[in-house]
Amino acid sequence: MQITSLCLCLNERPNIRFHAASGRAGKYCEVLARILDGDGTETGDLDNQIGKLPHWKPRYNPGTLLILDRESDPVAPLLHEVTYQAALMDADRIKDGNLIEVEEKRKGKPTRTTYVLNEEDKWWREFRHRHVKEVIGKLSQAKEEFLKNNQVAAGQRDVAEWDSKQMLKQVRDYPLYREFTRQYKKHTGILAMTLNGLRPLLKEGLNLEQDMATGMDPKGKKISSRDFFSRLCAICESSDICMLSKLRIVMTYIITQGGMNKKEKDIIFSHLNHNALPAIGKLEELGINTGNRQNAFKRKLDSSHEAEIKNHLNEEAEWAGGQWRYRPRLLDTVKQMIEGKLSTKSHPYIRAPRKETVVERKASGIRSRRIRSTKTKLDDDAEKPRFIIYVLGGVTASEIGAIYSLGKVYNVDLFIGSTGILSPDEYIKSLSQGSIPKNENLHKSRSNMRSTDEEVKL
């Protein structure tokens, strides 16, 4: 198994926990956990493989493997993304893992350029999990700074006054100038395309789904759900919004509001593709009521998840705004696990830990390392707390970004894996179980939307 291979490569014999949810989801999590850790009568796959490696030794501070299911947060894959990488994956722009094609104009003629997005790209590495508008601002700042400090960019107006030292500096700065302009053109082009894709939803769609998912406004105050349906109708009637976006917002409504009555369905479904309707019905298999609204099925935030969202609104006040309020439930679960607050009733161990993952606590907060003058960096990393999260049913780009950000905050090693990285398109098509063909383009709208090569003012 891939999880076993990962643990062995990390010299990890982790304690294994799983989400003990009701229904099939909890059973699947438990079955996988028992395959790995054994069930008391049979040895698990981890110990079987370790027995074949006579020189293998586990780390001193054992990690924790937490097995979760997509059912615990069915809303996250449906929400539109406004962070850089997630928005591109959301719109199905990234191909073959790291390639993106951008429509540009050269000498007045449209052309397509393929760019690579990887860890060697400094801006991509730094900004991939940030709000797209923040990234635009950061690029503008970088441009102003570069124009001041680079001799080629800053000295073009005063060529006649250059001395020999300035000429030499210009020669040295020229490669930097070329690299900067290439990267700047690359990212501004990608961001323009991203904003063009979000434009039809900016006025109302993004705000509505965040209102429904969080139940609070951008300031963290509770809001009424009375006008949710009328706002949903306006979105479904729009010819500017693509079918995929309509389906996502309709499904978010059903999940968060505890269902949808027949009268509402007759109105809403008349604006949706007929072959897409089975995907809505299959939400029942995730434990979601799709019939008449029932309070028992309304997705309400628990106190810790609500606190996490409010904390996000405070920390990201400038960028959270109307469209970046919701935080994946997965983030709250992992945060509780790191802090030692995750309930063993809802997330039990397969068997009592031989030794628990140690995350040191100090008065000033959480620390992940003891400070000793005799300790080497290698020893320090060997004791660094480590948590592995595995999500059955797929994980989203926004969840991956949120988890890695959490690792930096707590100074712990976090690894997240899944049965696949889930895009909204894949999520809905998998729910439809074949009624929506895999090659059907749900990103198109009925209107003649602006092409992606149209200039956007950044």
Side-chain angles (χ1 to χ4, degrees), residues 70-85:
R70 181 73 269 159
E71 185 179 308
S72 62
D73 189 359
V75 171
L78 296 171
L79 300 182
H80 289 82
E81 300 292 351
V82 291
T83 54
Y84 196 7
Q85 180 182 22

Side-chain angles (χ1 to χ4, degrees), residues 91-102:
D92 197 28
R93 296 287 188 181
I94 298 178
K95 305 296 183 183
D96 299 324
N98 63 355
L99 300 179
I100 184 165
E101 196 174 71
V102 179

Side-chain angles (χ1 to χ4, degrees), residues 380-396:
D380 207 28
D381 288 341
E383 291 187 17
K384 193 174 183 180
R386 181 177 284 167
F387 299 90
I388 303 168
I389 301 96
Y390 190 82
V391 185
L392 291 167
V395 66
T396 69

